[in-house]
Amino acid sequence: MTANTDNIFDIVIVGAGAVGCAVARELSGFDLKIAVLEKESDVAAGTSGRNSAVVHAGFNNKPGSLMAKLCVEGNEGFEKVCSQLDVPYKKTGKLIVAFDESDFAGIDQLMENGRKNGVKGLEFVDAHTVKKLEPHVGGIGAMLSPNTAITSPFIYTVALAENAAQNGVEFYFETEVNGISKRDGLFRLTAGKRHFFSRYIINSAGLYSDRIAALAGDKGYEIHPCRGEYFILDKRTSQYLNMPVYPVPRPGLGGLGVHLTPTVEGNILIGPSAEYIKSKSDYSATKGVMDQLFKEAKELLPALEMKHIIRSYTGIRSKLVGPKTGGYGDFIIEESGVVPGLVNLIGIESPGLTASVPIGRMVRDIIAGREELVPKKDFIAERKGITPFRELTLEQKEKLIKECPEYGEIVCRCEGITKKEILDAINNPLGVTTLAGIKYRARPMMGRCQGGYCLTRIVDILKEQKGIEPEQVTLRGNNSKLFTGRVK
Amino acid sequence: MLINKDLIIVGAGPAGLAAAVEARKRGIDDILVLEREPVAGGILNQCIHDGFGLIKFNEALTGPEYAKKYMDEADGMGIELITNVMVQDLSSDKAVTTVSPDGIRSYQAKAVILAMGCRERTRGAICIPGTRPAGVFTAGVAQNLVNIRNVMIGKNIIILGSGDIGLIMARRLTLEGADVLAVVEKLPYSSGLQRNITQCLDDFGIPLLLSHTVTNIEGRERVTAVTISRVDEKGNTIRGTSKKYDCDTLILSVGLIPENELSLNAGIEIDHVTGGPRVDEKLQTSVPGIFACGNVLQVHDLVDYVSAEGELAAGSAAEYIGGGLGSSTADGCSSVDVGINSEDKGPNGENPLSYEKMAVRAGRGIRYVLPQTIRPGKAVTFSMRVVKPDREKTVCFIAGDRIIKKRKYTALNPAEMIRMDLSQNELKDVSELEVCIYED
Amino acid sequence: MKTNREMVCIVCPNGCRLNVFVDEQNRVTRVENALCRNGRTYAEDEVQCPKRSLTSTVKVKGGTHPLVSVRSSKPIPREKLQEAVDTLRVLELTAPVDFHQVVVSDILGTGADIVTTRQIAKAR
């Protein structure tokens, strides 16, 4: 295939995680032809969709680091982005709880870090206040971070991508880049039999960012995958927790320690563990870690019971520091020194979600430093999400059903999701029709029955709406077929 | 607009249908049955195998045939049934809110019968380690896909859990061309009926691996293998016993959970063992005028008893609507342990069970007994399950230091619900009651 | 040679654990542990020619559902179960389908009919 107007872009972004989509959205404000290439079947399929869903305040990160700077910036602007893009956001605050005297030193350190990083509002609260804020959590004192918030990382990434798409960005899923060459100032990215040409490559490939850099000729990086496992608890437990509750981090740990986080939907997350692994795609949950997670979480919240667990999931951190060093490195956000036009976003682990929009702005500035960027006159800054029927008043519900009777058909019993919401999810602007895509957009199959009631109905709707036969339905694209055929 | 109804029944499965028919026979005219599916019949519609109705009708019906008997009867009586409607809320004063394509409806019922059935325990709830690929189904979902929607779910299949639906699906999938490699059961005994082991597994040479469980799931996109390991008496994996089975599908038949989200909205007290509401011998829950029957009350192994419960609940509801229940001794709540605390009182502070009652205790060897409370001096049908399989044991009802009823069983099995009737006479002058397994 | 066999009666949910005595001519001479007379009949069949009810589905064209559930009107020899299901696999009915409609009479010469166990209406 040769270059033509269809496959020549100004910018190709590799990786449709939160960072890649935030970059896409930022750059879609300018007169640029942009493509996002993603090896999986949807956005947020890697680390972006598999984390604690916390909008961090920025006190954990080393003063002077990019992580600290962009996290604080990201936290400040997050609410606005969420309101523009119709993304769930809740400023819950967060507690770092001390369980014995030795933890106080760690809290002092965090307060000091926070001050240096410009984090506002951090304060030490005594056991009495902890009890008041979180009656079910123990502890002898805590640091309260009032600006920490929670969001839905998946919806957030979808929203960024949809808004970018509204502004002309093209998304290519199941498109794994396996070759990059450069001729006459133009990159050629090969994905199987397809080719994409561009003047710039934004390497936001997360766990695989080292590989993409190397394909382009920049061989100096190594990402160390570090797995974290989580449990999701039944919504009935939401009464036990108002805000994220973390232990004081232990030095050298690859993460922040097992913590409890309420989700914007009303569940509780337990996790994550931190375990360096060899494979970047091994999302297995393991018995030993699962047992340990529950044990540690129960120390934080004694009311927990095994029967509250409805699901587990795992995420993999893309760390620049290996197991020997431990702790955190810093984000790399820069144009490659050896491959001009390649902008590397490497080592974007936590707080990458929080920092994603500022990262997008940094990328914009890098490009603006090389050429003049012309703002798009007709840029659309807002995006509307799926209306959550369950959260409306009876009057609003009645009105919606009148306008559209499909709001009156509850497809998912546990989460109260209507057929209209499922249809909106199926007809998403990115054209994703996988079961996971529908699940993360509209939340069916996310409740305590995990699809026992609604899976069959969604299979029917896919056929009815998109003509997708059951044997074509996939969980996450590629070969993840749900069924093997017809009975007869 | 508020619509008044004498009796609202939530769910038109076997429990709800039997309740509707019985309530009409008891003279309740103003009945509304609410069903979320497009048709009545509940889970029976996908249970195409036979063996239903042997006790009730003395013939081996298939699920759809059994359901049809009740559907036809309810239809013939002109009982109002609304399908494609979801009950969104139920309050303790028996206000019912529904959602359907016709809009939101608010009803006020004099009495409500809960007949919502149950849901399946999932992979997440039992924390199976491994990846999360396509190809893991609960047995009921598999049954629906295969029997109703003509969708084949896999070729090489492992079934975890020996519950009846899992056993039935082992046969069903084998006959339809799949290779069922094994049924794996963590306990040292099957949790399904013996007859299903014979006709669903033994007939087809499908191995039943007792004291084994699935300890890992592999596959990034679709299941490629599962690991099965032996477990000890405590359920812990025994090292060195793991074996990997290449397969594309894992079916879970690991238990059913009564679906009581609505009951919780109404403030109904739930029994932690059964997962269903605590009830008295009238099947009245802790909220007066709300009754429960079928799998929402306790998970059954035989539909015949589900219908029987529906009928009992309907009789009680009819009595309640007629003013006959609970009005007599409104001031006389006994001091006997009623097993509920003050938080469970109704919205107006009234006691949920407004007559003298006493708790029935599940003693040695008994996992639970239903009803949890009774009014002394009335005939009661008790249903219960034992803790573990046993042979040649006697089930005893003990009041204080005297045995008031006993029955010897050649075989006891947790999978098989035990039902025992105690007469008015046997329960006369009883002020405490325990059921246990008695060592002869 | 006289033998005794243990088997679980599958006629009803009681699942009686039968102790079945068989004589040299493969005739049942005594059945122990049966709660009812059906146990004896079951044991005799099981010794001579085990029979099972068949339940499966048949494809439906133009109906509200793609399948209709079916059953055999009486138990058929166990070894014919698979062949019977394979026979049904190639059939297709056209909606509407009636309740207890005969789909196959005398399937595989067993004397049992295959009948539907529910109605399937025409799709709108």
Side-chain angles (χ1 to χ4, degrees):
Chain A
M1 200 204 291
T2 52
N4 58 53
T5 49
D6 283 345
N7 60 13
I8 300 183
F9 297 88
D10 294 308
I11 293 173
V12 163
I13 298 167
V14 182
V19 170
C21 293
V23 171
R25 189 216 180 207
E26 178 64 36
L27 296 179
S28 72
F30 302 92
D31 277 332
L32 294 165
K33 188 167 154 63
I34 303 167
V36 179
L37 311 187
E38 168 56 52
K39 77 179 174 67
E40 301 296 329
S41 60
D42 202 348
V43 300
T47 313
S48 302
R50 303 158 171 273
N51 52 66
S52 301
V54 171
V55 181
H56 291 288
F59 51 80
N60 277 309
N61 311 105
K62 204 172 143 200
S65 66
L66 263 179
M67 274 184 178
K69 176 175 174 283
L70 299 180
C71 183
V72 171
E73 264 180 58
N75 180 286
E76 280 169 3
F78 216 91
E79 186 163 11
K80 190 183 163 211
V81 175
C82 288
S83 96
Q84 278 181 328
L85 300 180
D86 198 10
V87 174
Y89 172 90
K90 202 173 159 196
K91 196 185 269 188
T92 51
K94 160 173 158 175
L95 285 176
I96 308 270
V97 180
F99 287 92
D100 57 52
E101 297 287 331
S102 68
D103 283 338
F104 287 134
I107 286 189
D108 288 344
Q109 180 68 51
L110 290 176
M111 297 273 270
E112 177 64 17
N113 266 3
R115 257 195 300 280
K116 285 184 184 155
N117 293 347
V119 180
K120 296 189 186 94
L122 298 180
E123 61 172 317
F124 183 80
V125 293
D126 60 14
H128 179 72
T129 313
V130 173
K131 205 87 219 150
K132 221 166 66 187
L133 292 169
E134 287 291 2
H136 296 276
V137 172
I140 56 170
M143 183 183 85
L144 171 67
S145 161
N147 290 329
T148 303
I150 56 176
T151 185
S152 161
F154 193 87
I155 298 291
Y156 172 73
T157 310
V158 164
L160 288 166
E162 289 186 0
N163 188 228
Q166 279 174 295
N167 289 299
V169 174
E170 296 171 31
F171 283 82
Y172 296 85
F173 295 109
E174 296 186 23
T175 303
E176 181 173 359
V177 174
N178 38 33
I180 299 174
S181 58
K182 195 174 185 187
R183 205 190 310 169
D184 305 330
L186 206 58
F187 288 106
R188 187 178 82 158
L189 298 94
T190 307
K193 289 183 181 137
R194 283 174 297 169
H195 300 289
F196 299 84
F197 299 86
S198 73
R199 294 189 291 121
Y200 295 95
I201 293 175
I202 314 298
N203 173 14
S204 57
L207 284 163
Y208 302 89
S209 53
D210 53 350
R211 184 163 170 269
I212 294 298
L215 283 178
D218 190 350
K219 294 193 167 32
Y221 300 102
E222 187 185 358
I223 292 293
H224 304 272
C226 180
R227 185 168 61 196
E229 301 185 24
Y230 290 87
F231 283 125
I232 307 176
L233 305 184
D234 194 299
K235 281 185 172 178
R236 255 184 247 144
T237 57
S238 64
Q239 52 174 321
Y240 298 135
L241 196 71
N242 301 312
M243 63 177 80
V245 170
Y246 285 56
V248 175
R250 308 275 138 73
L253 203 67
L256 299 174
V258 171
H259 47 260
L260 303 168
T261 312
T263 69
V264 285
E265 296 89 8
N267 301 88
I268 292 181
L269 305 178
I270 299 178
S273 52
E275 177 194 5
Y276 279 99
I277 54 172
K278 291 207 170 66
S279 161
K280 290 176 177 175
S281 60
D282 183 3
Y283 288 105
S284 302
T286 55
K287 174 92 171 79
V289 172
M290 286 170 124
D291 291 347
Q292 184 65 20
L293 272 188
F294 186 78
K295 191 170 149 265
E296 288 185 29
K298 201 165 166 70
E299 283 169 14
L300 286 174
L301 189 65
L304 284 184
E305 291 179 53
M306 282 301 278
K307 70 170 184 191
H308 293 143
I309 296 171
I310 60 173
R311 189 177 170 81
S312 67
Y313 69 100
T314 58
I316 304 178
R317 304 171 183 86
S318 51
K319 295 185 82 70
L320 272 171
V321 287
K324 283 194 186 118
T325 325
Y328 287 85
D330 199 3
F331 294 155
I332 288 171
I333 301 169
E334 62 194 22
E335 183 172 2
S336 164
V338 286
V339 185
L342 169 69
V343 179
N344 280 323
L345 312 179
I346 299 179
I348 315 290
E349 52 166 322
S350 178
L353 181 73
T354 310
S356 51
V357 165
I359 292 173
R361 284 197 293 265
M362 270 188 80
V363 171
R364 174 201 65 196
D365 292 344
I366 291 169
I367 300 197
R370 298 201 12 162
E371 60 183 81
E372 193 192 346
L373 291 178
V374 183
K376 226 177 238 167
K377 287 194 190 72
D378 52 356
F379 178 71
I380 306 162
E382 300 200 339
R383 166 261 181 199
K384 186 81 190 79
I386 298 172
T387 306
F389 183 80
R390 64 194 174 279
E391 290 168 15
L392 305 178
T393 64
L394 279 184
E395 291 71 29
Q396 290 170 317
K397 286 178 177 173
E398 180 74 51
K399 186 167 168 278
L400 277 187
I401 297 172
K402 273 222 176 72
E403 287 165 12
C404 175
E406 277 143 349
Y407 274 116
E409 215 173 303
I410 308 281
V411 173
C412 162
R413 190 238 165 291
C414 303
E415 298 285 311
I417 313 294
T418 64
K419 185 172 179 185
K420 179 64 168 61
E421 292 162 86
I422 305 284
L423 293 177
D424 288 346
I426 291 175
N427 295 315
N428 64 80
L430 302 178
V432 176
T433 53
T434 65
L435 206 64
I438 298 166
K439 170 175 164 176
Y440 292 124
R441 280 170 178 78
R443 287 190 60 74
M445 302 173 277
M446 298 274 264
R448 54 182 72 93
C449 92
Q450 291 284 297
Y453 181 70
C454 60
L455 169 67
T456 52
R457 286 158 178 79
I458 292 168
V459 170
D460 289 347
I461 296 173
L462 277 169
K463 165 108 166 94
E464 168 195 310
Q465 285 290 315
K466 292 276 173 187
I468 298 173
E469 295 292 334
E471 50 269 43
Q472 252 68 60
V473 177
T474 67
L475 179 58
R476 295 187 204 95
N478 292 313
N479 295 316
S480 63
K481 289 227 169 82
L482 231 58
F483 312 118
T484 52
R486 293 307 181 117
V487 180
K488 40 196 61 166
Chain B
M1 196 187 63
L2 195 66
I3 307 160
N4 286 298
K5 291 280 166 194
D6 280 352
L7 175 61
I8 289 182
I9 299 171
V10 187
L17 287 172
V21 166
E22 181 67 15
R24 175 58 56 84
K25 286 180 185 164
R26 297 292 191 100
I28 305 298
D29 286 330
D30 192 19
I31 303 170
L32 174 62
V33 185
L34 298 168
E35 170 57 46
R36 63 189 187 183
E37 296 284 327
V39 291
I43 206 73
L44 287 174
N45 287 326
Q46 67 183 57
C47 299
I48 65 166
H49 56 283
D50 76 339
F52 301 92
L54 280 153
I55 295 159
K56 195 98 197 162
F57 302 110
N58 201 27
E59 54 179 324
L61 302 168
T62 65
E65 289 171 317
Y66 186 97
K68 190 173 189 303
K69 279 189 185 282
Y70 283 94
M71 278 146 70
D72 287 351
E73 200 174 359
D75 222 28
M77 290 172 159
I79 292 170
E80 187 185 1
L81 165 72
I82 303 180
T83 56
N84 287 318
V85 63
M86 187 72 85
V87 175
Q88 192 190 303
D89 197 20
L90 168 67
S91 74
S92 57
D93 53 0
K94 299 178 283 291
V96 177
T97 314
T98 66
V99 181
S100 81
D102 295 331
I104 310 278
R105 296 276 181 282
S106 302
Y107 299 92
Q108 178 60 55
K110 288 182 185 158
V112 172
I113 294 178
L114 306 174
M116 293 90 78
C118 56
R119 65 167 183 269
E120 297 183 279
R121 185 167 282 126
T122 66
R123 174 191 174 177
I126 57 170
C127 298
I128 307 175
T131 54
R132 281 157 300 279
V136 181
F137 301 93
T138 55
V141 170
Q143 187 179 47
N144 182 294
L145 288 161
V146 170
N147 289 349
I148 304 279
R149 288 178 159 81
N150 195 18
V151 173
M152 196 60 180
I153 54 150
K155 295 192 169 87
N156 299 293
I157 300 170
I158 294 283
I159 299 180
L160 173 62
S162 59
D164 286 311
I165 319 171
L167 301 177
I168 295 285
M169 283 313 289
R171 172 178 64 182
R172 190 75 198 98
L173 288 161
T174 304
L175 284 172
E176 294 302 350
D179 195 358
V180 177
L181 306 171
V183 174
V184 184
E185 170 59 58
K186 194 170 184 182
L187 296 170
Y189 50 88
S190 165
S191 44
L193 297 174
Q194 262 308 319
R195 63 193 295 257
N196 285 335
I197 308 231
T198 301
Q199 60 182 345
C200 297
L201 301 189
D202 297 350
D203 274 3
F204 299 93
I206 299 168
L208 172 61
L209 305 176
L210 297 173
S211 297
H212 281 74
T213 194
V214 171
T215 49
N216 197 29
I217 299 175
E218 289 177 46
R220 209 171 106 70
E221 298 179 315
R222 173 94 193 183
V223 174
T224 56
V226 303
T227 304
I228 293 172
S229 313
R230 181 180 277 279
V231 296
D232 62 20
E233 315 81 66
K234 286 179 188 147
N236 295 319
T237 309
I238 302 171
R239 265 174 206 278
T241 62
S242 299
K243 191 179 163 198
K244 194 157 121 177
Y245 287 73
D246 291 334
C247 60
D248 61 11
T249 305
L250 174 65
I251 291 180
L252 304 176
S253 178
V254 291
L256 301 169
I257 303 164
E259 187 120 84
N260 274 292
E261 276 61 47
L262 276 181
S263 319
L264 289 167
N265 288 0
I268 289 168
E269 193 199 353
I270 302 296
D271 182 310
H272 291 300
V273 182
T274 60
R278 284 174 63 91
V279 290
D280 61 15
E281 82 284 357
K282 298 281 185 186
L283 302 186
Q284 181 168 234
T285 67
S286 63
V287 175
I290 302 185
F291 303 82
C293 56
N295 281 350
V296 79
L297 176 58
Q298 58 173 335
V299 174
H300 290 253
D301 37 278
L302 296 177
V303 73
D304 306 66
Y305 294 136
V306 168
S307 305
E309 255 176 29
E311 285 161 12
L312 175 57
S316 308
E319 217 179 309
Y320 181 88
I321 293 164
L325 255 200
S327 50
S328 53
T329 56
D331 54 346
C333 186
S334 104
S335 58
V336 183
D337 170 30
V338 294
I340 49 178
N341 58 45
S342 57
E343 287 168 16
D344 296 310
K345 283 184 181 176
N348 306 318
E350 78 272 25
N351 195 294
L353 295 161
S354 50
Y355 46 78
E356 286 191 47
K357 62 212 166 300
M358 73 189 186
V360 184
R361 278 191 304 274
R364 189 183 53 222
I366 303 292
R367 195 160 76 82
Y368 73 81
V369 57
L370 219 81
Q372 289 89 346
T373 61
I374 60 167
R375 176 162 42 171
K378 300 278 175 193
V380 181
T381 299
F382 290 95
S383 45
M384 67 209 87
R385 286 185 191 271
V386 294
V387 172
K388 60 177 177 46
D390 221 330
R391 278 175 171 268
E392 305 294 335
K393 285 282 167 359
T394 303
V395 174
C396 282
F397 278 84
I398 299 169
D401 51 4
R402 76 196 158 93
I403 294 175
I404 58 169
K405 178 113 180 178
K406 59 179 182 177
R407 188 188 293 163
K408 189 165 182 183
Y409 288 84
T410 48
L412 289 164
N413 187 343
E416 293 166 26
M417 185 191 288
I418 299 169
R419 306 240 314 169
M420 279 172 77
D421 294 320
L422 268 70
S423 69
Q424 188 171 351
N425 202 32
E426 284 164 332
L427 288 167
K428 205 171 75 182
D429 302 327
V430 166
S431 59
E432 56 179 312
L433 193 59
E434 178 180 306
V435 55
C436 64
I437 291 180
Y438 184 77
E439 306 277 346
D440 282 316
Chain C
M1 194 187 72
K2 275 181 136 177
T3 53
N4 72 325
R5 276 176 60 184
E6 284 188 21
M7 60 179 76
V8 175
C9 177
I10 63 166
V11 173
C12 87
N14 283 327
C16 294
R17 290 147 178 87
L18 307 179
N19 200 10
V20 181
F21 293 80
V22 181
D23 70 8
E24 291 83 351
Q25 278 80 47
N26 207 28
R27 284 180 310 213
V28 173
T29 54
R30 193 150 59 95
V31 176
E32 290 179 349
N33 293 342
L35 284 175
C36 75
R37 272 178 309 181
N38 291 333
R40 168 107 198 184
T41 321
Y42 172 78
E44 282 169 356
D45 272 351
E46 205 62 9
V47 168
Q48 261 119 48
C49 169
K51 293 197 176 74
R52 299 287 183 263
S53 284
L54 168 69
T55 55
S56 183
T57 52
V58 170
K59 237 161 117 169
V60 178
K61 198 157 69 182
T64 51
H65 292 83
L67 296 173
V68 64
S69 48
V70 299
R71 67 172 303 161
S72 56
S73 55
K74 60 177 190 181
I76 64 170
R78 188 174 66 189
E79 78 261 13
K80 298 213 167 171
L81 279 179
Q82 187 65 62
E83 199 184 342
V85 172
D86 293 343
T87 307
L88 298 177
R89 188 168 294 125
V90 295
L91 298 183
E92 186 167 34
L93 303 173
T94 304
V97 177
D98 211 359
F99 181 68
H100 279 179
Q101 179 179 323
V102 176
V103 178
V104 183
S105 345
D106 187 19
I107 188 158
L108 306 175
T110 58
D113 295 338
I114 299 297
V115 300
T116 63
T117 57
R118 71 180 291 189
Q119 291 165 303
I120 300 290
K122 252 187 172 157
R124 279 183 294 124

